[in-house]
Amino acid sequence: MKKTAKRTELIEVAQGRRPADLVIKGGTVINVYSGEFLKQNIAVYKDCIAYVGEKDVEVDHHTKVIDAEGMYVSPGFIEPHAHPWVLYNPVSMTKKVLPLGTTTTVNDNLFFYLHMGPKGFKEMVNDLKVLPGNFLWLVRLVSQADFPGEKEWFNQKDVQELLELDEVIGTAEVTRWPQIYQGDPFLIDTMERAKKMGKVVDGHTAGCSYDKLNSIAAAGVSACHEAITAQEALNRLRLGIWTTLRNSSLRPDLPELVKIIIEGKVSTNRMTMTTDGPHPGFIEEEGFVDGLVRKAVELGVPVMNALQMVTINAAFSLRLDDHIGGIAPGRLADILLLPNLKEFRPSAVISKGEIVAKKGELLVSMPEIHWNQYIKREPFLFPKEMLNDLNLYRYPHSSSEKTVPVVYFTSNVITKRKDMMLPSKDGFAHIAAHKGLLNAVLIDRKGKWISKAILERFALNLDGMASTYNTTTELLVIGKNPDSMAIAAKKVYEMGGGIVVVDGNEVILEIPLPFTGMMAIDSSFETVVENHEKLLAALQERGFPFHDILYTLLFLTCDFLPDLKLVPLGLYAVKENQILLPAQPLNEAIVK
């Protein structure tokens, strides 16, 4: 991490031979290194802290002096595992979370890289350097769903070049962790190269047993956020893996996970916390990293331990403790003024020595980014008219076949196989008599293939919807009425990406997401909150039984959570690693 303040300048400020640019006086400093609360002054020069102690430092008429009497002075909060693409984009997310005290976010690059490739991603990273706060990246080594050409897209040369960027601090989670367990040469070699560069290797080991975790740790995985029980968290901790406690819109697991602290009395020295890409409404209601601290303290975690997990622990886990994570000389001046240690809502946020927010209001301007300049191809590469064929939206089924494998939702993101006897009509499964059954198709945006499935317990009365918001960002179309599905699909095509819900012939909701098919292009966080609320309400009115529609859409098309999934290769049984119905060339699926 680059700093503008020179070491010699900081020495002079610390010794009183040069006036400070900013002085914070009279506050109670939260020393996350020693675990103490100390009445001290802080001197800041340019973007760094120069002095922390009881003496008065040199000031002049240019020095800003903040009276922090009665306030707690905390290091800025760190989110070590962010996904800046849950309808919001990097600018709108930063605009929202920086005033809440999160001065550093470490972000997953998956959908940016999928649509931009290495060149476009590098250009975007360079343009985002002007964002206030520290906006850092982890780069993916594989996608979340295998697709034709994946290995060529995620090739060693391009990935390793991205690792050399200063803003990239390591490799991102490998959701298909069995590939690491099996010693995949590309993954192991690239992870090892990252470690030799002093960078981290993030992990994703959902459902991994203790014995298998040994192999994951041996492979070099640095951290994991996928524990959902206290025992799973303890397993990771005992094997030297940085254990990230999650509380998100999809997985609000903190009440269970903190049991290892409150009941188990284990050390928190190698624990951090994450919100793991919550939907916009969750951030609006619960906060971001500030909400993690608030929740942890409410659950009984000591205040100092909770703050350490989102400051110095996170910095150590990211190998950035020389730069961020604490209030000490030489560190970046990322500082929060907290009125109390209950709400953890800062009255002022200082980032790199600049006051960037007060009382929840952003004080600095945000860059205007033209997002689609980094994307070099058209959103759809086939004629829209191809979407008129209603047989595209039906599941093939002959009268000689006894059963059809149905994707049955047991939760927001977990499914199981349910074999059903369905009548055949004109060579397709006839689902009209079965309330709650829906057709689903995934259409390649390049027009090369189509995958098909039948869903149960996604919704009861959904005529049609289409969405590029999913793990693949291809065109996902769901519904019971092929005419409505076609209308929704064509509307998303026209928008260049997004989500559309249709009743009969009427479009009742449309959310444009032209940036990679996942994100809005404006900087308004309020707009994405409103759009998310409308989408969830619309789907729940039509029988969606769960609480997080965005993650249901996202993970229906992944290939690492059980059990039946709709992926580019076809209808996929995860546990058996078997394609039940292969994808079909799109042009062959069109009735001539």
Side-chain angles (χ1 to χ4, degrees):
M1 300 179 76
K2 295 179 180 177
K3 302 167 185 173
T4 58
K6 297 178 181 178
R7 297 286 184 184
T8 52
E9 294 171 332
L10 297 177
I11 292 170
E12 290 172 0
V13 174
Q15 294 175 0
R17 296 188 288 114
R18 178 188 290 264
D21 289 331
L22 173 68
V23 173
I24 303 170
K25 297 185 64 174
T28 299
V29 173
I30 301 170
N31 192 308
V32 293
Y33 302 104
S34 65
E36 300 173 284
F37 296 91
L38 303 170
K39 192 90 166 182
Q40 291 179 321
N41 300 324
I42 301 170
V44 173
Y45 185 75
K46 293 182 178 177
D47 57 351
C48 289
I49 297 167
Y51 173 81
V52 183
E54 297 179 3
K55 76 173 185 179
D56 291 327
V57 296
E58 184 69 21
V59 301
D60 64 10
H61 63 286
H62 296 295
T63 305
K64 293 180 182 178
V65 179
I66 298 175
D67 183 0
E69 188 70 35
M71 308 285 281
Y72 293 90
V73 186
S74 170
F77 300 149
I78 302 169
E79 169 54 90
H81 186 90
H83 298 288
W85 36 250
V86 188
L87 301 189
Y88 41 77
N89 59 54
V91 170
S92 58
M93 186 187 81
T94 301
K95 190 175 179 180
K96 178 64 178 181
V97 306
L98 186 59
L100 298 177
T102 300
T103 54
T104 300
T105 56
V106 179
N107 302 280
D108 170 24
N109 82 327
L110 176 60
F111 297 111
F112 305 97
Y113 183 75
L114 280 175
H115 284 262
M116 299 172 183
K119 183 176 183 294
F121 178 66
K122 287 177 186 177
E123 291 171 355
M124 185 188 71
V125 168
N126 185 64
D127 290 346
L128 289 176
K129 288 179 182 180
V130 297
L131 272 179
N134 307 304
F135 204 82
L136 306 172
W137 295 92
L138 299 172
V139 296
R140 290 277 186 145
L141 306 183
V142 293
S143 70
Q144 291 190 162
D146 192 7
F147 61 88
E150 181 193 28
K151 288 182 173 59
E152 290 75 22
W153 196 251
F154 289 86
N155 64 80
Q156 198 162 46
K157 176 180 178 294
D158 288 339
V159 170
Q160 289 181 357
E161 283 184 7
L162 293 184
L163 280 170
E164 292 172 2
L165 297 176
D166 290 339
E167 293 76 20
V168 171
I169 65 166
T171 66
E173 57 184 325
V174 176
T175 51
R176 285 177 265 162
W177 61 262
Q179 293 184 5
I180 298 176
Y181 179 77
Q182 293 157 6
D184 179 272
F186 166 66
L187 293 178
I188 301 302
D189 290 350
T190 309
M191 288 160 53
E192 183 64 19
R193 180 177 288 265
K195 285 188 168 291
K196 288 180 178 178
M197 297 170 68
K199 304 199 174 189
V200 300
V201 175
D202 199 13
H204 176 115
T205 56
C208 189
S209 68
Y210 179 83
D211 284 343
K212 288 183 176 179
L213 276 171
N214 274 268
S215 297
I216 300 299
V221 168
S222 307
C224 181
H225 60 284
E226 283 295 332
I228 61 174
T229 69
Q231 185 60 54
E232 287 179 351
L234 191 58
N235 288 347
R236 286 154 178 77
L237 196 64
R238 285 173 171 170
L239 292 175
I241 298 171
W242 279 95
T243 304
T244 307
L245 310 184
R246 175 172 54 191
N247 206 63
S248 71
S249 57
L250 177 63
R251 300 277 349 170
D253 293 327
L254 206 58
E256 164 65 19
L257 298 175
V258 297
K259 289 178 182 177
I260 63 173
I261 303 170
I262 299 166
E263 298 174 11
K265 307 297 182 184
V266 301
S267 170
T268 60
N269 287 351
R270 289 184 65 84
M271 291 185 204
T272 64
M273 293 193 285
T274 184
T275 59
D276 193 18
H279 65 58
F282 183 90
I283 299 175
E284 186 68 24
E285 294 176 12
E286 302 290 336
F288 202 54
V289 178
D290 59 304
L292 294 172
V293 182
R294 193 160 49 247
K295 186 72 172 179
V297 172
E298 287 173 1
L299 292 168
V301 176
V303 168
M304 182 60 74
N305 293 141
L307 287 168
Q308 286 170 328
M309 284 194 282
V310 300
T311 57
I312 191 58
N313 289 13
F316 269 119
S317 73
L318 300 167
R319 300 188 177 188
L320 296 175
D321 51 289
D322 276 349
H323 306 283
I324 58 175
I327 296 176
R331 273 59 171 189
L332 284 173
D334 295 342
I335 300 169
L336 312 179
L337 299 185
L338 302 176
N340 58 64
L341 297 182
K342 181 179 179 181
E343 296 177 343
F344 301 97
R345 300 183 192 275
S347 62
V349 179
I350 298 165
S351 174
K352 299 176 184 176
E354 181 180 5
I355 302 171
V356 295
K358 281 187 176 181
K359 297 181 179 179
E361 295 295 325
L362 196 67
L363 302 180
V364 294
S365 61
M366 302 296 284
E368 184 175 337
I369 305 291
H370 300 288
W371 296 107
N372 285 324
Q373 67 181 307
Y374 311 113
I375 298 172
K376 307 304 181 186
R377 59 185 175 89
E378 294 296 318
F380 294 95
L381 298 179
F382 62 89
K384 183 177 69 172
E385 289 69 30
M386 293 181 75
L387 298 172
N388 288 327
D389 187 338
L390 300 187
N391 285 332
L392 283 181
Y393 311 107
R394 297 183 171 112
Y395 188 90
H397 178 51
S398 70
S399 56
S400 62
E401 295 171 306
K402 293 184 178 180
T403 61
V404 172
V406 171
V407 182
Y408 180 85
F409 283 84
T410 63
S411 72
N412 265 285
V413 298
I414 303 299
T415 66
K416 69 177 183 180
R417 177 173 177 168
K418 183 177 179 181
D419 292 316
M420 295 185 67
M421 296 187 67
L422 295 174
S424 174
K425 183 178 181 181
D426 300 325
F428 297 98
H430 189 55
I431 65 172
H434 294 264
K435 187 176 182 180
L437 290 189
L438 303 173
N439 282 305
V441 299
L442 188 66
I443 302 173
D444 175 35
R445 291 218 227 174
K446 296 178 182 178
K448 293 184 177 180
W449 51 260
I450 181 171
S451 297
K452 297 188 175 185
I454 295 176
L455 313 182
E456 185 176 14
R457 207 166 172 248
F458 178 89
L460 292 175
N461 302 300
L462 178 64
D463 283 347
M465 75 171 294
S467 172
T468 52
Y469 187 95
N470 62 77
T471 280
T472 66
T473 74
E474 310 296 356
L475 181 60
L476 174 66
V477 192
I478 302 172
K480 65 179 182 179
N481 183 334
D483 290 289
S484 303
M485 295 170 73
I487 292 170
K490 287 185 288 185
K491 189 64 180 178
V492 170
Y493 183 109
E494 292 166 4
M495 294 192 301
I499 305 172
V500 169
V501 180
V502 174
D503 279 349
N505 295 324
E506 181 185 0
V507 175
I508 64 160
L509 178 66
E510 55 183 275
I511 303 173
L513 300 172
F515 182 36
T516 77
M518 302 289 289
M519 290 165 274
I521 58 176
D522 62 56
S523 62
S524 170
F525 194 83
E526 293 73 19
T527 299
V528 295
V529 170
E530 181 181 353
N531 283 338
H532 169 260
E533 290 174 351
K534 288 179 179 178
L535 175 64
L536 181 59
L539 267 293
Q540 288 181 335
E541 287 170 8
R542 287 154 184 78
F544 177 71
F546 307 114
H547 69 281
D548 199 331
I549 180 60
L550 292 180
Y551 272 92
T552 299
L553 293 172
L554 193 71
F555 285 149
L556 172 59
T557 60
C558 74
D559 62 6
F560 58 90
L561 291 174
D563 183 30
L564 293 196
K565 299 293 179 178
L566 185 60
V567 301
L569 301 181
L571 177 59
Y572 178 56
V574 175
K575 290 181 179 179
E576 292 80 13
N577 189 26
Q578 179 184 2
I579 297 293
L580 304 181
L581 180 68
Q584 180 184 10
L586 183 61
N587 59 357
E588 294 181 13
I590 302 293
V591 175
K592 306 298 183 184

